[in-house]
Amino acid sequence: ALPAKPGLNAVSPATICPGDSFLLAAIDTGFTFQWYEETVTGMLAIPSANDSFIYLKNQNNYQLQITDRNGCPANSDLFLLTVDDWQVYVNASGPLSFCAGGQIELSAPSGSQYLWSSGDTLPQVLVNSSNAYYFSMLSDYGCPKYSDTVVVTVNSLPYISLGPDSIVCDTSSVLLDAGAGFNYYLWQDGSVDQTFLAFSPSMTPDSADYFVFVTDTNGCANSDTMRCYCDICD
């Protein structure tokens, strides 16, 4: 009769960290032993692996064959050893370049003992300043991991000034200039030119606010308002 299928001291699959080794052993005694590893052509005997135990370092499927004193063999189930050598990455909740006043969430995968380049120790961090960000951590298998680096760029808001509030005669007009170089202009009346002619002679004595929104090449927007106090002048 064939011997019973040999048992192993560990349950498949098992995971180790890069550079570590794993002790896999037979729980059966009184046999001769031969360990095998999987290749592209099938299971191949590992040279000199004839003990009841073996130290494994490489990710692969392994198998133990036992042979009794009658020369009858039996094979164990396949044992899968995995190596936790997967790269971890910084995950971003949005674009890495955004306008001042915005923020982005950077996150790490499941694990423990996080340490970000910003000094944070949580798996997620909120970022609102330009810098390079990365982290270290322990994986779920206790292996040290070091992430890639992402560069966050916070673009300044465009500078826009229509000048100070003014008192203007009812017979005067003023040309407001939002400045050159912006991608888009929007005035309070819906016009989209760089300049706006305000305080026409037909205006009655009163006050009025004039404002403009501008957008630069980075898609960042800003605005300014100027109040006009109109007066009847001799």
Side-chain angles (χ1 to χ4, degrees):
L2 296 177
K5 180 172 61 176
L8 301 175
N9 68 329
V11 177
S12 176
T15 303
I16 61 174
C17 300
D20 290 346
S21 61
F22 185 85
L23 175 62
L24 184 61
I27 59 176
D28 303 273
T29 59
F31 300 93
T32 58
F33 303 93
Q34 177 62 59
W35 294 92
Y36 289 79
E37 63 182 350
E38 189 172 38
T39 69
V40 293
T41 58
M43 300 304 293
L44 184 67
I46 302 174
S48 302
N50 308 117
D51 293 320
S52 62
F53 62 91
I54 187 172
Y55 286 95
L56 304 176
K57 291 185 176 182
N58 299 320
Q59 181 165 303
N60 205 344
N61 280 308
Y62 297 90
Q63 191 175 46
L64 172 64
Q65 183 181 82
I66 60 174
T67 304
D68 65 14
R69 63 174 54 94
N70 297 313
C72 297
N75 295 326
S76 70
D77 292 329
L78 290 180
F79 181 88
L80 173 61
L81 179 71
T82 64
V83 178
D84 182 12
D85 57 359
W86 305 288
Q87 175 66 43
V88 293
Y89 298 94
V90 178
N91 296 311
S93 62
L96 294 174
S97 178
F98 52 89
C99 302
Q103 63 182 13
I104 188 174
E105 182 182 83
L106 304 180
S107 60
S110 173
S112 61
Q113 297 188 29
Y114 301 96
L115 179 60
W116 289 84
S117 54
S118 59
D120 293 283
T121 56
L122 296 176
Q124 298 89 23
V125 295
L126 288 177
V127 171
N128 58 11
S129 60
S130 297
N131 215 329
Y133 294 90
Y134 52 89
F135 64 85
S136 63
M137 60 173 286
L138 293 182
S139 72
D140 290 331
Y141 300 104
C143 301
K145 298 286 186 178
Y146 302 93
S147 74
D148 62 335
T149 299
V150 299
V151 177
V152 173
T153 302
V154 180
N155 299 306
S156 300
L157 299 182
Y159 175 76
I160 171 67
S161 176
L162 296 179
D165 297 344
S166 302
I167 297 177
V168 180
C169 292
D170 61 320
T171 57
S172 301
S173 61
V174 173
L175 185 66
L176 300 179
D177 191 342
F182 298 115
N183 278 17
Y184 182 69
Y185 302 84
L186 180 63
W187 295 88
Q188 76 286 334
D189 67 343
S191 60
V192 293
D193 297 322
Q194 176 182 329
T195 59
F196 182 83
L197 185 63
F199 321 133
S200 67
S202 61
M203 290 188 60
T204 57
D206 207 341
S207 65
D209 289 334
Y210 297 88
F211 58 88
V212 63
F213 290 92
V214 297
T215 303
D216 64 13
T217 55
N218 294 316
C220 299
N222 206 351
S223 65
D224 190 37
T225 299
M226 193 271 277
R227 172 163 291 184
C228 166
Y229 298 95
C230 301
D231 196 5
I232 298 176
C233 303
D234 290 336

